[in-house]
Amino acid sequence: MFFDRMVEKWADLPELKTTVENPDIIAPLGYGMLIGNCLPWATIANFERSLLAIKYFPKALIIFGNSAHCFKGSEVVEGAFKHQWLIEKGVSKDKFWNVGPITNTVTEAERIKHMLNTRGIMPAEIILITGQMHAPYAVLVWHQTFPKAKIALCVTPYFNEYQPEHLIILQRNRYLLFAVRVVQYEVARYISLDFFRKIKHPVFKSKTA
C-alpha cells in the first residue's frame, strides 16, 4: 500500500487534468520486448488506452516507435506485433503510423516529431499515454520536444511497467525501476536531453529473443 501511494503521488501531474478538444496525435509509449518475443503488459495497456482515445477523437492519429536495442531486429518484431494488434482491434491502417526504430523516450519523441514534420504536421494537441512511474519523465521530454503543443496525459497502472521476463533489465523489478525513474526525472530537470538521447538501457541477452 505504501508503494502504491508513493507512485500515485509521484504521477499526480497537472497534465492529468489537462483536457484537449481536437488532438492531432495519440502517442502510446512502448516498453520494449519480453523474452520469447512478446509485447510487455505496459505496452498493451497503453495501446488499449489509445483505442479508447481514438473512439473519442476519430480524427487523431495513433503514432509510435519501436525499441531497436532489445535484440537485433527487435524494432521490426515489435512494430509488426503492434501493427497486427491494432488491425485486429479494428483500427484502419490510415489511423496509425509506425515511425520506426527508437532507443529511448527522447529518441521516440524526437523521431515522432521528425516524421510528423515530413508530412507538414505540427501538432497543437497531443494525448500522451504511458505508465505511472514513467509519466513525470515522459511528460518533461515531450514538453521539451513539442514546446508549443498542449499535452494531455493518460496514465496506466504502474504494476504493468515491470515483468520478470522483460528484456530491459531495469524493468524487471519495481523498486529498481521506480528509483531509476525518479533519478532520471530529477537529472533531466537540470541538464540537456542530449545526455539522455545517447542512453540505451541494458538488456538481458536471451537465446529465444
Side-chain angles (χ1 to χ4, degrees):
M1 291 295 293
F2 174 76
F3 190 80
D4 293 350
R5 290 194 297 269
M6 186 166 57
V7 174
E8 287 175 7
K9 185 175 182 180
W10 165 251
D12 186 17
L13 302 166
E15 289 78 8
L16 284 171
K17 302 174 181 67
T18 299
T19 58
V20 290
E21 296 180 358
N22 188 29
D24 302 285
I25 64 170
I26 299 165
L29 302 190
Y31 279 72
M33 296 288 292
L34 303 180
I35 293 174
N37 296 353
C38 300
L39 292 177
W41 295 332
T43 296
I44 295 172
N46 292 346
F47 271 70
E48 286 176 343
R49 291 293 177 90
S50 75
L51 292 182
L52 295 175
I54 201 73
K55 289 179 180 178
Y56 281 103
F57 304 106
K59 294 183 180 180
L61 178 71
I62 297 174
I63 192 164
F64 56 89
N66 309 288
S67 298
H69 67 291
C70 291
F71 53 86
K72 185 176 181 180
S74 62
E75 72 277 12
V76 177
V77 177
E78 183 179 344
F81 273 125
K82 291 175 178 176
H83 181 106
Q84 181 181 359
W85 190 91
L86 288 166
I87 292 296
E88 289 176 351
K89 297 296 182 180
V91 182
S92 61
K93 292 181 180 180
D94 64 328
K95 297 306 299 177
F96 64 87
W97 191 8
N98 175 358
V99 301
I102 56 97
T103 52
N104 55 46
T105 305
V106 174
T107 59
E108 181 167 23
E110 291 179 341
R111 185 163 181 84
I112 286 173
K113 182 178 183 179
H114 171 73
M115 297 304 285
L116 288 171
N117 286 344
T118 65
R119 291 191 179 184
I121 300 173
M122 299 180 65
E125 295 186 341
I126 296 169
I127 296 178
L128 180 65
I129 307 174
T130 192
Q132 286 177 300
M133 287 194 278
H134 187 221
Y137 174 66
V139 165
L140 185 153
V141 169
W142 277 69
H143 272 309
Q144 291 193 32
T145 307
F146 296 92
K148 296 182 179 181
K150 184 178 184 181
I151 299 176
L153 177 66
C154 176
V155 296
T156 51
Y158 78 87
F159 51 74
N160 290 311
E161 295 182 80
Y162 57 93
Q163 288 179 254
E165 64 271 32
H166 212 295
L167 283 171
I168 298 175
I169 294 171
L170 72 87
Q171 289 175 205
R172 292 184 164 201
N173 180 281
R174 67 176 179 173
Y175 302 108
L176 172 62
L177 180 59
F178 186 58
V180 169
R181 293 306 187 202
V182 171
V183 172
Q184 195 176 43
Y185 170 75
E186 292 298 334
V187 173
R189 291 172 60 194
Y190 300 104
I191 70 172
S192 168
L193 292 182
D194 290 342
F195 172 79
F196 294 93
R197 185 181 298 113
K198 303 171 185 177
I199 293 176
K200 293 183 180 180
H201 299 301
V203 297
F204 176 77
K205 301 299 182 181
S206 169
K207 296 180 180 179
T208 60

